[in-house]
Every structure is written in C-alpha cells, then in structure tokens.
Amino acid sequence: MPEDELSRSSHSNPGKSLVNGIKTNPASSSPKSSLSVPMGPPVYVDLAYIPNHCSGKNTDPEFFKRVRASYYVVSGNDAANGEPSRAVLDALLEGKSQWGENLQVTLIPTHDTEVTREWYQQTHEKQQELNIMVLASSSTVVMQDESFPACKIEF
C-alpha cells in the first residue's frame, strides 16, 4: 500500500479503534472501564484453569458466569502476590449461583494454601448447596529431586 493511502486509511476514522473486534472510542474508555461486550450464551468446557494463578487482578464473577467448567484448576501458590485470591474463590460461588442449573463442579487446587483451606472451611455449606466439590490430593509424584501433590482427572 502506498504511504499516502496508508496515511489516509489510518485517519479516515479518527478516535475509533478496534478492541477484541469491537469498535471503541479511546477518549471514553479508561483502563479500569469494562468493555461493552454483548452477553452471549455461556461456554461449557470440561476443564478450565482459573486465569493468572487465581489472582484477583483479572478474574471476577463474570468469568464464572461465562466459562462453565466441570473442573476448575486453582494453580496459585504465592501469598505475597495474592495467589490464590479469596475474592476469586468467592467469585466462583457467586458466578455458579447464577447458572440456573445445578451441574457438578470440581475445584482442583494444585497447592494446599492457607487461603484455600480457610475458604473451604468457611464456605463449605455454600459449596454443598451449589454442588461444588473441592478435590484434595493425597497422592505425591516424585521426579528426580522434586516431589509435588498430584491429581488424576478422568473424563
């Protein structure tokens, strides 16, 4: 494309850009504002990793309303960075409560943390009401100089 055509095409719609395929006006959007993404049907998957090591930075009840999994993996193990986040675990309860169907959900923590233990104990009744099971691992894998808890998931 010649340079003058490129210049014209980039200025043909000033102030508009595409974010995730949606036209936005940069002047009216801020980093904290949410994108106006139209609601669609939820996505059903067998297994989903909770984003960003279960950090509260970008996972909220909306994630759990839209991404409906039979199994959610909680991989956070960094208390200094808020991983896993109690707010995200609570968001699972809030999001699942709005599903309108009582599908079985299994939460798989990859680490035994104080946050997940406290959340489990304090919300156990709500978990049962929502048909959420928290899977504890009693198996350990030993590889070379390393050992870690393990879970086997069958579909």
Side-chain angles (χ1 to χ4, degrees):
M1 181 183 278
E3 190 175 342
D4 60 337
E5 263 185 65
L6 180 62
S7 176
R8 259 183 297 167
S9 68
S10 65
H11 294 295
S12 64
N13 197 0
K16 297 278 184 184
S17 64
L18 288 178
V19 176
N20 293 332
I22 299 169
K23 286 186 181 181
T24 63
N25 184 349
S28 68
S29 60
S30 68
K32 287 280 187 189
S33 70
S34 62
L35 290 176
S36 178
V37 178
M39 287 297 293
V43 176
Y44 290 85
V45 296
D46 289 329
L47 177 73
Y49 279 80
I50 298 177
N52 203 22
H53 305 288
C54 197
S55 165
K57 295 175 185 167
N58 59 2
T59 304
D60 60 9
E62 192 64 32
F63 172 80
F64 296 105
K65 290 178 199 172
R66 291 182 178 219
V67 179
R68 299 179 181 187
S70 297
Y71 299 86
Y72 290 103
V73 176
V74 176
S75 65
N77 189 26
D78 186 356
N81 283 319
E83 300 167 3
S85 165
R86 169 69 188 249
V88 173
L89 297 171
D90 288 339
L92 167 63
L93 297 175
E94 183 181 335
K96 172 89 168 57
S97 71
Q98 296 182 30
W99 286 13
E101 50 197 328
N102 198 18
L103 300 174
Q104 170 73 47
V105 167
T106 303
L107 189 67
I108 306 168
T110 60
H111 295 80
D112 181 23
T113 67
E114 187 175 332
V115 170
T116 53
R117 270 183 272 126
E118 285 179 4
W119 176 83
Y120 176 80
Q121 292 170 351
Q122 294 169 359
T123 65
H124 187 68
E125 190 174 302
K126 183 73 170 174
Q127 294 166 41
Q128 288 181 319
E129 176 187 314
L130 293 172
N131 203 14
I132 297 173
M133 181 175 71
V134 178
L135 192 61
S137 175
S138 59
S139 299
T140 302
V141 173
V142 178
M143 293 177 55
Q144 297 172 345
D145 298 333
E146 184 180 10
S147 67
F148 48 89
C151 269
K152 180 179 179 183
I153 303 169
E154 293 184 22
F155 296 95

